Amino acid sequence: MVNPLALSRYILLMLLALMPLAGHTQANIEIDTPAIISLEQRMQQRHNQLNTYYARGAVGLTRDGLIAMRDANELPLSARQSVNALIAAENQDRNALYREIARANGHPEWEADIRSTFAQRWIELARPGWWYQSASGSWVRK
Amino acid sequence: MRKLVKILPSFFIAISSAYAEPRITLSIDDFQSIGSPALNSKDIHVSLTGPRASVLEIKLGEIVVQGTSWRNLRFSCGDFQVAGGVVQCEGGTLTVSASTPLPVAFKFSATDKTLDAQIKPTPNEASAGWRLSARWGGAGWEGQLTVAEGQLGHLEGLLPTKGGEAVPSSTRGKVNGKFKLSGTADGMAEITANVVVNELAFSDASGLHAGENIGIEVNANAMQVGRRKDRRWEWQADANWLRGEVFWQPLYVVGEGYRFSTEGDLDDNLIRVNKGKLSLKDIGEMDFAGAIDRSTAALHDVDLSGDNLELAGVFSQVLKPFLVNTPFAELAAEGRAGIQWRFRNGAHQSINLHLHEAALDDGRGSFAFRGINAHIPWQVQGLTQASISVRSGQFGKLPIGEVHVPLQIDGPNFSIARMVVPVLDGKLTLEDFNASPQVQGGLKGWQWQFNGALSPISMQKLTEALGTQSMQGTLSGEIPGVSYNGSTIEVDGALLFRVFDGTVKLDNLKVLDPLGAAPSLMADLDMRNLDLNQLTGTFSFGSMQGRIDASVKGLELFDWKPVKFDASLRSSEGDYPRRISQAAVQNISSLGGSGAAAAIQRSFLHFFEQFGYLEIGWSCSLRNGICRMGGIESESLPHGYLIVKGGGIPAITVIGYNRNVDWDELVSRLQRITQAREIKPVFH
């Protein structure tokens, strides 16, 4: 049976992979290095867990291509520590992904552009009801 | 009251009797107690209306008592009476800002010198509520606040505001108990509280500091002592955290068996704890003393000491949340520890750490140490010498023997002049180890460097321990400068090893993010004069005699798997027997895959077990998962590449035709060959 969450994630990655980078049309976002493949696999696995927290509004998408605890009150006390750890792990992988895509393109200095392009696309592809940070830093419900 | 009252700037009282009902109103813009900023109030309106002036309304725009402010305070009483020295109110309500109106009743008797006030939020429950009874006479006064099922939530709106926001943002809970208060005309002299709070819940707006369902018992007493100049409060408090949970980012604690008792004093500047005891379940008991600066709420002095603490509890309850996403996230510890911590004037002075029969395991199979006994003293200035001994341990799959670590500590810098780590039957010697926090650049964390040497370790024992193909020979070598800058390990110079009767030089070694989620390694390998007989015997490849040189340039591993390199091997220079077995020929041929053909003189091949050769050469450039293969460089062929050039009688020549082979496929073929115990050549 196809897991709809995994499928949506897959589609999301495909879309991200196909999109040209603004200002750097030569940057190849679908570039595959073993590092990128392993990061994407880990992020895909984690996404299933994060999904429910996005939907509840506990976790939101930040304007710098990461995720953050938006409102811990949406979670039972006993879950707050582990969700914090999940967020930290996801952000570690996201940072590594942006760095690695830039490096694989042979342009480590593109990291900031790759990050901001991803940040926009994560938000565009977020589901209705999820929270994201606007350009001013305030939280907005999609 | 002796204090003067200054009323500014507009003030009026209007008594109007236009109708039958008298009406008195009083408005004051600003009210300050002179000579002391203890009390001031703004925007005051008082009115007394209704039949017999029985309806009282008091509104305060803002009242500030000793720096704490309340806004929009409103008190109204529908049945207000003043008669015979008695002031009383039934059915009053008190509202602060947007709080729920609280039913209030009070009776004040000037003749009996008593005050009796009640807040009854739930009229149905006669016993529930807050009741204050006070009496005075002579030089002093005393009062008692009795609380029965008092809801903290009702007080929420009554809490003072700081910076416009109530702190904390939400609080619930039930209070039962008594507060006894007594004092003189100068103020409060003694407070005693015996209170149990149940179902306590609080949270700040972000939910990162919150508690739920907390049960706590507090018995406390505070008494004012000293004469005017050195007046202070002496207090003692015992708290028992009975149940409930608290999340105080990043700590999550379920309260059960936590006890806290302290005694100390309080003056205008400091809250002092002279003697405190903290008892934590699964950790142990700690004694502490210290002082907190009242104006900044910052720690001033602390002395903390605990002996016989359970390391397992210290790690799982206190340290683990801080190690998330570090290589030590799964770290588990056992054994006992002692700590003495001294903190003076807002700075660490010294820490003494003792470990007794401790064990550490990183939980990921990277390292484990057992039988750790240590005394590690640290002080802010000056050298200290730590003594650490580890009975046994493991690095990955490699067991290490007893180690003594002569650690020298100089503030934030750690150094070890020399230490010896027994590894299997050899030893690793570390020299000139230095570690210090990163001071420059954008990298955080630690930097360290060392050099050392590896005295011979038997390859047989090493391969056994690592669970890989058994090998002969020894591993030994010099370890030149190795350094870590917070993200990358770099080896300055070449690592030299002796294996298979030849030498292996590892150069330009660099490991990025060694303990992280995505470690990668870069290096150049140069191997000389390896004995083919030992090598092929080890890997069940089919026997070959001779010697080879091999080089792997630009090797890149990601997650310890090769992703890029340029490898080549060729027969070493010199005079030595060069023979190759049938099995080895078959295996070399089959590595090229089904498309690869060996130009084998099949007609008489099967008569011979061994063949002579002149030269062997093979290369593989790995890019994007594909190995591009080549043969002896000097012998170019029109369609293919020469791997084995024949010589002598009988001679054999092996030619490869397939240049591009999938790396994973090549590795699995090699594994099939080297794992086969018995190799039988097949002839067509």
Side-chain angles (χ1 to χ4, degrees), chain B residues 42-276:
Chain B
K42 282 179 193 161
D43 200 8
I44 306 163
H45 299 273
V46 181
S47 70
L48 204 50
T49 54
R52 296 185 303 280
S54 64
V55 179
L56 174 71
E57 279 274 337
I58 302 174
K59 286 183 193 170
L60 294 178
E62 184 180 16
I63 180 163
V64 183
V65 181
Q66 298 204 318
T68 314
S69 71
W70 285 264
R71 289 203 181 94
N72 300 323
L73 194 129
R74 212 174 118 188
F75 178 73
S76 63
C77 186
D79 186 3
F80 179 70
Q81 295 170 27
V82 183
V86 174
V87 180
Q88 73 176 8
C89 162
E90 289 291 330
T93 55
L94 175 69
T95 326
V96 180
S97 294
S99 75
T100 331
L102 288 173
V104 173
F106 70 82
K107 183 179 175 187
F108 171 84
S109 166
T111 43
D112 297 348
K113 297 183 176 171
T114 59
L115 170 72
D116 194 1
Q118 281 181 66
I119 299 178
K120 279 189 174 292
T122 43
N124 306 339
E125 291 176 57
S127 60
W130 307 70
R131 180 178 192 136
L132 174 71
S133 311
R135 323 193 283 123
W136 59 95
W141 58 269
E142 60 179 40
Q144 179 165 305
L145 177 67
T146 311
V147 191
E149 300 291 298
Q151 298 280 356
L152 282 176
H154 290 139
L155 301 182
E156 199 174 317
L158 306 182
L159 288 174
T161 52
K162 258 185 202 171
E165 259 184 58
V167 183
S169 74
S170 76
T171 309
R172 284 178 287 117
K174 268 188 201 169
V175 186
N176 279 289
K178 274 181 194 169
F179 298 85
K180 280 185 189 162
L181 319 158
S182 64
T184 61
D186 289 343
M188 192 105 73
E190 188 174 358
I191 311 172
T192 305
N194 305 96
V195 187
V196 176
V197 184
N198 279 311
E199 297 167 35
L200 173 67
F202 64 89
S203 175
D204 65 358
S206 66
L208 298 177
H209 304 98
E212 274 173 16
N213 201 27
I214 296 167
I216 192 163
E217 186 185 352
V218 180
N219 293 300
N221 173 268
M223 200 189 289
Q224 204 166 48
V225 294
R227 293 193 173 264
R228 280 187 183 276
K229 275 190 178 173
D230 59 337
R231 267 168 95 83
R232 62 186 198 279
W233 286 88
E234 278 186 358
W235 54 272
Q236 63 85 25
D238 292 314
N240 205 350
W241 183 3
L242 307 166
R243 70 192 79 82
E245 46 181 351
V246 168
F247 177 68
W248 200 272
Q249 196 184 20
L251 295 172
Y252 171 72
V253 188
V254 178
E256 196 188 9
Y258 290 86
R259 286 195 315 278
F260 174 82
S261 69
T262 52
E263 54 181 75
D265 54 56
L266 177 145
D267 62 24
D268 289 344
N269 305 317
L270 292 175
I271 302 175
R272 231 174 266 114
V273 176
N274 299 326
K275 196 172 152 191

Side-chain angles (χ1 to χ4, degrees), chain A residues 69-119:
Chain A
M69 185 78 91
R70 189 197 69 88
D71 187 1
N73 293 304
E74 297 292 336
L75 301 170
L77 284 190
S78 56
R80 291 178 198 183
Q81 198 179 50
S82 60
V83 173
N84 257 336
L86 203 63
I87 292 170
E90 175 72 7
N91 284 340
Q92 199 177 40
D93 280 354
R94 285 185 176 210
N95 282 326
L97 181 73
Y98 307 147
R99 191 172 55 235
E100 192 58 30
I101 290 176
R103 202 171 72 169
N105 273 284
H107 287 278
E109 73 280 8
W110 287 357
E111 187 185 326
D113 292 309
I114 289 170
R115 171 192 296 276
S116 68
T117 308
F118 264 89

Side-chain angles (χ1 to χ4, degrees), chain A residues 16-33:
Chain A
L16 282 169
L18 293 172
M19 114 194 117
L21 257 181
H24 293 292
T25 45
Q26 284 164 342
N28 179 6
I29 266 191
E30 73 182 306
I31 200 159
D32 265 348
T33 70

